[in-house]
Amino acid sequence: MKLNNSGKILERPGGAAMAFEEDLGNGVSLTMVRIPAGKFMMGQTVAEKQELLKTFKEKEYKDTFGNEFPRHQVTLPEFYLGQMPVTQAQWKAIMGNNPSRFKGNDKLSVDSVSWLDAVDFCRKLSQKTGRTYRLPSEAEWEYACRAGTTTPFAFGETITPAMVNYDGNYPYAGAARGENRQKTAPVGIFPANAFGLYDMHGNLWEWCLDEWLDSYRNAPVDGSARGNINSRDAGKQRLLRGASWNNGAWTCRSANRNFSGVSNRYINFGLRVVAVTPRTS
């Protein structure tokens, strides 16, 4: 993929995104989008640091955003990622329940799920479909979110509540204040990024496979997850990406990182899944 200095896509590998649909039964399906192999720079840019320091004092900045360094190049193979976060309809089709706080529309993302819940969903989805599903690595997630861009957001230097579901009282990079919906929004109603993925910024935090580490020192450069991805140790902290409906715009940046305990079920936690291989028959 070729990029110019402003982060705009000059050449998109393979043209339009390819996808496949997984039939979950009873009219419910899961759309998986092909994410092309490629390289990207993972982490926060100097320009983002300068912008964040306009809002946060040095210590606040370091404590909150200092974990987004050092910026480093990662090379990833092709993979398939959910076009949207897992919805309540999809969760119910696999798990038979609905833990969400925000209900009333099956197109809402499932919320209030822990990392352990998300891993169990992937296991049962794999059993049902005969294909291996898992949570994305942190590197896969950021690569897919950026979709070939180097700007703070896949949509450019800033966002608005017309583009992303976040707390519009807290804008970024000079954007005007806007709506605060105070709840999740149905998936797919905001613009998709250049890979054809929806809701990568805002709406709900999305669990990743990785154990939490507070920097990218010695981070893998092949897109793999860090730590023991199979551990269910209650003492572990796991990665979250993307921010949510109750976060400010700066938290929705492609580079932003968060973490929580594996058993925590907060109303702004959801998930998106990776298909290890597409079906061949």
Side-chain angles (χ1 to χ4, degrees), residues 250-269:
W250 51 76
T251 312
C252 299
R253 291 174 301 108
S254 299
N256 189 246
R257 310 172 73 217
N258 192 11
F259 64 95
S260 191
V262 297
S263 299
N264 290 338
R265 296 185 177 101
Y266 295 135
I267 60 175
N268 55 352
F269 287 3

Side-chain angles (χ1 to χ4, degrees), residues 90-269:
Q90 292 163 346
W91 185 273
K92 289 189 290 187
I94 299 301
M95 305 298 283
N97 59 40
N98 185 2
S100 303
R101 165 75 174 274
F102 300 107
K103 296 180 180 177
N105 184 341
D106 277 351
K107 291 185 178 180
L108 292 171
S109 304
V110 65
D111 66 69
S112 305
V113 296
S114 69
W115 185 86
L116 294 174
D117 296 333
V119 169
D120 288 343
F121 174 85
C122 292
R123 175 175 55 82
K124 291 186 177 183
L125 177 61
S126 300
Q127 291 171 349
K128 183 178 181 68
T129 63
R131 187 200 324 276
T132 299
Y133 281 92
R134 59 168 172 78
L135 296 176
S137 71
E138 183 182 19
E140 288 172 335
W141 194 98
E142 185 172 326
Y143 176 67
C145 179
R146 290 185 179 279
T149 63
T150 58
T151 46
F153 307 93
F155 307 119
E157 295 293 339
T158 193
I159 52 174
T160 69
M163 304 161 67
V164 172
N165 186 19
Y166 67 98
D167 185 347
N169 291 307
Y170 301 97
Y172 180 85
R177 290 175 181 263
E179 182 179 5
N180 176 15
R181 296 177 178 86
Q182 302 184 53
K183 60 182 179 180
T184 55
V187 300
I189 68 171
F190 299 104
N193 70 14
F195 283 165
L197 302 170
Y198 293 86
D199 299 305
M200 295 295 289
H201 300 295
N203 215 19
L204 283 177
W205 288 101
E206 299 179 8
W207 287 107
C208 294
L209 273 179
D210 307 58
E211 291 182 19
W212 166 254
L213 293 169
D214 65 359
S215 82
Y216 289 132
R217 289 187 298 272
N218 302 315
V221 296
D222 62 356
S224 58
R226 292 197 284 177
N228 184 349
I229 64 174
N230 297 313
S231 173
R232 296 178 69 89
D233 184 347
K236 296 289 186 184
Q237 306 280 342
R238 296 286 176 171
L239 258 296
L240 289 152
R241 285 304 205 105
S244 76
W245 53 271
N246 66 344
N247 293 116
W250 51 76
T251 312
C252 299
R253 291 174 301 108
S254 299
N256 189 246
R257 310 172 73 217
N258 192 11
F259 64 95
S260 191
V262 297
S263 299
N264 290 338
R265 296 185 177 101
Y266 295 135
I267 60 175
N268 55 352
F269 287 3

Side-chain angles (χ1 to χ4, degrees), residues 30-33 80-85 197-198 200 272-275:
L30 173 67
T31 301
M32 303 297 297
V33 174
Y80 282 75
L81 184 66
Q83 184 180 46
M84 301 175 189
L197 302 170
Y198 293 86
M200 295 295 289
R272 187 184 306 253
V273 296
V274 164

